[in-house]
Amino acid sequence: SEVFEADWAQAYAMVNYTADFYDMDEPSLAALTDTSMVEVTVPDSPNAGSDGCFDVTGAFSATEVASDASVTLVANPDNAYEELTARFNASKSTIEVMMYQITDDMCGVMAERAQSGLNVSLLLSATIYDDCDCEAARACYETLSAAGATMRLTPRGCFNYAHQKFYMMDGESVGFSTGNLSPSDFNDQEVYPVYGADGWAKQNRDFTVWVDGDASAVAPFKEVFERDWAGGVDWSGGSNIHCG
């Protein structure tokens, strides 16, 4: 509520934009603004239950967090970078991450932890939509691999994009976020200038939720991680990540 009200106070009123504003023709704008219902047919997965794939529908029920557990909500960008960096650096034995893409300074933070002897395991999307992000991710993964991190890619035959974002520390804490490990989500800036001002950078409003002190809250994430890990493939260099 506090974040919503603060962002609402800085927001501006919506307007009815024209085709000229969007730099598109009138038929395209009409299609974009059409509010009529469109029937969508979702096909059955051809690979569910085979080749390392599994049907997750209804696989997990809600887990009640233990009364003595700690739940922390962190707003991105704000202090999310500092919070995640501190948690990575405080890990004692393992860091396990399942992430769509890693393209920011967290790459260096995790590489340092891997070099120090910590068990760093990363399960990453085998496909990244944006070409620039894909190339940045490839460079990051080369760095992590050289540092000693263990990496696998999710099975492309099961789903095209693995878009989840969660972290497990020492098997005791879990964090799940709406943002990737990207500069637009985890940024170490202390000040965020408005658009057009010096120092402005693209930022996303995201949230990260942390649950500490309750292994049962970690368990569902651990199960998804291990099942997708088993069905995935080893990282073997940039050529086995698909861009687009």
Side-chain angles (χ1 to χ4, degrees):
S1 176
E2 182 179 345
V3 173
F4 180 89
E5 291 177 0
D7 286 350
W8 181 274
Q10 300 179 73
Y12 52 87
M14 294 270 307
V15 297
N16 292 321
Y17 293 120
T18 64
D20 290 338
F21 178 88
Y22 284 108
D23 191 26
M24 62 174 62
D25 56 40
E26 290 291 348
S28 297
L29 182 62
L32 181 67
T33 56
D34 185 359
T35 59
S36 59
M37 297 293 292
V38 176
E39 183 177 350
V40 177
T41 301
V42 180
D44 294 331
S45 171
N47 299 310
S50 64
D51 299 326
C53 304
F54 61 92
D55 185 2
V56 298
T57 304
F60 305 103
S61 58
T63 299
E64 183 175 345
V65 177
S67 59
D68 58 347
S70 170
V71 179
T72 305
L73 175 66
V74 181
N76 303 42
D78 302 291
N79 65 331
Y81 179 90
E82 290 78 7
E83 175 76 18
L84 185 55
T85 300
R87 286 177 175 274
F88 280 153
N89 288 333
S91 297
K92 299 179 177 62
S93 58
T94 61
I95 295 174
E96 296 168 299
V97 177
M98 191 170 182
M99 184 64 52
Y100 171 62
Q101 65 182 34
I102 307 174
T103 57
D104 69 356
D105 292 344
M106 288 298 172
C107 182
V109 174
M110 285 188 288
E112 290 178 0
R113 300 285 14 234
Q115 286 178 324
S116 72
L118 201 75
N119 184 354
V120 178
S121 300
L122 307 171
L123 184 56
L124 307 158
S125 179
T127 308
I128 296 176
Y129 178 77
D130 182 82
D131 287 340
C132 291
D133 285 344
C134 193
E135 291 303 321
R138 283 173 169 169
C140 169
Y141 302 164
E142 294 286 0
T143 298
L144 287 165
S145 178
T150 303
M151 297 186 295
R152 283 174 71 81
L153 303 178
T154 53
R156 287 193 66 210
C158 303
F159 39 79
N160 208 26
Y161 300 100
H163 209 243
Q164 71 301 301
K165 313 114 180 12
F166 64 84
Y167 328 83
M168 298 175 288
M169 313 293 191
D170 302 327
E172 299 175 351
S173 301
V174 61
F176 47 98
S177 63
T178 60
N180 298 301
L181 289 178
S182 301
S184 56
D185 297 299
F186 291 88
N187 192 297
D188 62 352
Q189 289 182 230
E190 295 183 359
V191 178
Y192 300 96
V194 297
Y195 178 75
D198 290 341
W200 176 86
K202 180 183 177 182
Q203 300 294 325
N204 297 336
R205 169 62 83 206
D206 283 294
F207 286 99
T208 305
V209 177
W210 289 96
V211 180
D212 299 294
D214 184 5
S216 66
V218 182
F221 294 89
K222 181 71 170 178
E223 182 174 352
V224 171
F225 184 89
E226 290 181 344
R227 290 167 75 174
D228 280 353
W229 182 277
V233 297
D234 289 334
W235 159 259
S236 60
S239 61
N240 66 339
I241 281 193
H242 179 74
C243 301

